[in-house]
Amino acid sequence: MFDDSGMAVFPELREAETYLECYDVLDDAYAAFDAQGRKLQLDCAEVTAPLAISLAEEEPSHAEDLRALILLDLSVGSTAPAPEDTSLEGLVAHCLAFRIAVIPYVHPDGPLRRRLFRWFLSLFGVSPRADKG
């Protein structure tokens, strides 16, 4: 998963469904792929609904896009050592091995900050989506 703060790596869809927030899904904040480079569909009916993740395509037509995004994130925002194997399979294995170093908790402006901001707004009964038409 990629958002404006970087890359999040989840070995299983259930982990991603638990971690990602419907606020962000409804705001199209994420670009999501499986390990083969197939685009994933993130669905939330409303902010409080459970998140569902499914394949948006059968063929991995975004494999090269995913590879480029991983390489960019590893070169810019990661504390993990550089991988030797830069094939998509090698990069995915590398990210899973060092997943603590590449999930958004490393980035101070990631989902945790947005979650805290939304919690703060909710104390005053304000919705972060209220200004959208």
Side-chain angles (χ1 to χ4, degrees):
M1 308 287 174
F2 295 87
D3 66 7
D4 58 354
S5 65
M7 174 173 55
V9 179
F10 303 98
E12 296 188 22
L13 285 181
R14 184 176 305 270
E15 268 188 65
E17 289 171 338
T18 303
Y19 179 80
L20 301 175
E21 294 187 359
C22 283
Y23 281 107
D24 295 325
V25 170
L26 293 170
D27 287 338
D28 290 326
Y30 300 113
F33 306 91
D34 72 359
Q36 288 78 41
R38 291 179 292 209
K39 190 102 167 121
L40 297 175
Q41 177 70 37
L42 308 177
D43 291 309
C44 269
E46 57 184 45
V47 173
T48 58
L51 173 66
I53 300 176
S54 60
L55 288 176
E57 60 187 14
E58 292 299 320
E59 295 297 316
S61 63
H62 291 84
E64 197 52 43
D65 298 334
L66 175 59
R67 184 180 168 280
L69 285 169
I70 293 172
L71 285 171
L72 176 65
D73 193 85
L74 289 175
S75 69
V76 173
S78 176
T79 58
E84 291 182 21
D85 181 2
T86 59
S87 68
L88 180 57
E89 296 80 18
L91 290 171
V92 168
H94 180 80
C95 289
L96 287 172
F98 291 97
R99 78 184 204 106
I100 293 171
V102 295
I103 63 173
Y105 290 118
V106 173
H107 306 285
D109 293 325
L112 181 59
R113 180 176 176 188
R114 287 193 300 273
R115 196 172 305 152
L116 291 172
F117 177 70
R118 288 188 186 103
W119 171 80
F120 179 76
L121 289 178
S122 73
L123 293 176
F124 300 99
V126 177
S127 169
R129 302 188 86 224
D131 63 340
K132 294 194 175 191

